[in-house]
Amino acid sequence: MKIWSTEHVFSYPWETVIKAAMRKYPNPMNPSVVGVDVLDRNLDPEGRLHSHRLLSTEWGLPGIVRAIMGTSHTRTYVKEHSIVDPEEKTMELCSTNITLTNLVSVDERLVYRPHPDNPDVTVLTQEAIITVKGVSLSSYLEGMMALRMSANARKSAGRTPRTVEHRQTTSSGNIGN
Amino acid sequence: MNSVGEGCTDLKREYDQCFNRWFAEKFLKGDRSGDPCTEMFKKYQHCVQKAIKEKDIPIDGVEFMGPNKDKP
């Protein structure tokens, strides 16, 4: 089991950041996500918006990893549940893979909140728990996956702000999700 | 961005545009008036659920760490 977490600060107010986060894909900084679908969406009695989404990803695993895992299928699916609370100004996303579950489990949690000291700034806390099952090199593989995810998270420094800047320069977005 | 079902991408984009507009202009501004995207969502969903079945994507019965129910 490998756990990593990271924190990132965006110099934009919370509403701006989450509008961009909702439209995060496609994004050249993370080309692994090749499809996004909304499975369900509803408001709870407290007025929070729940969304359940299905993400299709192509991981481009190194050949040796595919050989160890015994699969050449690189298309994996991830289920994501997000909650947007416009009163508390929090957006929380939890995701987990729903394929290759007999081999690996990747649980990720992201929370966007205004910075406690500055409402014009937003803090993203991102954490992941990665567990590789039934493989003797599990620690090594978990470490590799953690490195990959960590690199993607660092790239996300350009991800949401890029979307934010793009949104701010286009008056009517025709950017699909 | 594409849908998991190749034939659903147009329906998806139409729904996404509607949702993104409602999300930014109504929901985040505290306007709780009705969701204008319901019909669009139904059509889109019908297509997606069919694709999920055809591709045998295991979306049901998955336990994962949910968001904290307690507010911070």
Side-chain angles (χ1 to χ4, degrees):
Chain A
M1 179 184 285
K2 198 69 131 197
I3 300 171
W4 65 266
S5 68
T6 186
E7 201 174 80
H8 185 77
V9 174
F10 300 100
S11 303
Y12 297 93
W14 179 80
E15 287 84 358
T16 307
V17 174
I18 65 156
K19 275 188 272 188
M22 274 293 194
R23 304 164 69 154
K24 197 157 87 165
Y25 306 110
N27 194 303
M29 305 294 273
N30 185 8
S32 345
V33 178
V34 298
V36 180
D37 279 298
V38 180
L39 302 180
D40 187 33
R41 204 161 241 158
N42 58 84
L43 283 171
D44 68 17
E46 287 95 46
R48 301 180 304 175
L49 179 71
H50 293 251
S51 305
H52 291 266
R53 301 200 303 177
L54 175 69
L55 278 62
S56 315
T57 67
E58 280 284 353
W59 272 103
L61 295 170
I64 187 164
V65 177
R66 293 210 299 270
I68 291 169
M69 289 174 128
T71 177
S72 59
H73 295 299
T74 52
R75 177 65 60 92
T76 56
Y77 294 100
V78 171
K79 198 156 95 160
E80 176 204 86
H81 176 204
S82 63
I83 306 181
V84 181
D85 188 335
E87 304 284 327
E88 299 284 315
K89 297 203 179 185
T90 58
M91 175 169 179
E92 186 171 356
L93 302 97
C94 290
S95 67
T96 192
N97 58 303
I98 56 172
T99 50
L100 299 182
T101 50
N102 55 326
L103 295 170
V104 66
S105 180
V106 180
D107 293 308
E108 214 180 354
R109 180 171 177 256
L110 284 73
V111 182
Y112 294 89
R113 281 193 182 98
H115 193 285
D117 303 327
N118 184 351
D120 292 329
V121 164
T122 302
V123 179
L124 164 63
T125 315
Q126 190 170 356
E127 58 189 19
I129 300 172
I130 304 159
T131 315
V132 177
K133 304 167 191 179
V135 176
S136 59
L137 297 174
S138 57
S139 289
Y140 171 71
L141 289 173
E142 285 168 5
M144 271 176 54
M145 288 189 70
L147 275 176
R148 166 74 78 97
M149 290 182 72
S150 195
N152 282 346
R154 275 198 300 281
K155 280 190 214 169
S156 82
R159 205 190 285 176
T160 301
R162 168 200 168 269
T163 320
V164 168
E165 279 155 21
H166 191 113
R167 276 181 39 79
Q168 290 185 329
T169 56
T170 55
S171 52
S172 67
N174 210 13
I175 310 163
N177 212 357
Chain B
M1 189 85 272
N2 294 327
S3 168
V4 68
E6 292 79 15
C8 310
T9 297
D10 287 341
L11 290 169
K12 169 194 142 62
R13 287 187 186 158
E14 218 182 299
Y15 166 72
D16 281 344
Q17 269 194 309
C18 180
F19 168 76
N20 288 329
R21 202 177 308 125
W22 171 82
F23 185 70
E25 295 169 15
K26 303 276 182 188
F27 177 74
L28 287 183
K29 298 189 173 163
D31 185 335
R32 295 278 172 268
S33 58
D35 178 1
C37 312
T38 323
E39 283 311 307
M40 238 179 268
F41 186 66
K42 280 188 190 146
K43 279 191 243 174
Y44 162 48
Q45 268 310 289
H46 183 74
C47 186
V48 165
Q49 292 297 335
K50 213 161 139 241
I52 285 171
K53 275 199 179 68
E54 278 166 12
K55 297 186 184 221
D56 221 3
I57 300 170
I59 58 165
D60 295 315
V62 176
E63 294 296 320
F64 62 102
M65 66 177 184
N68 282 330
K69 299 261 176 356
D70 301 316
K71 295 199 176 181

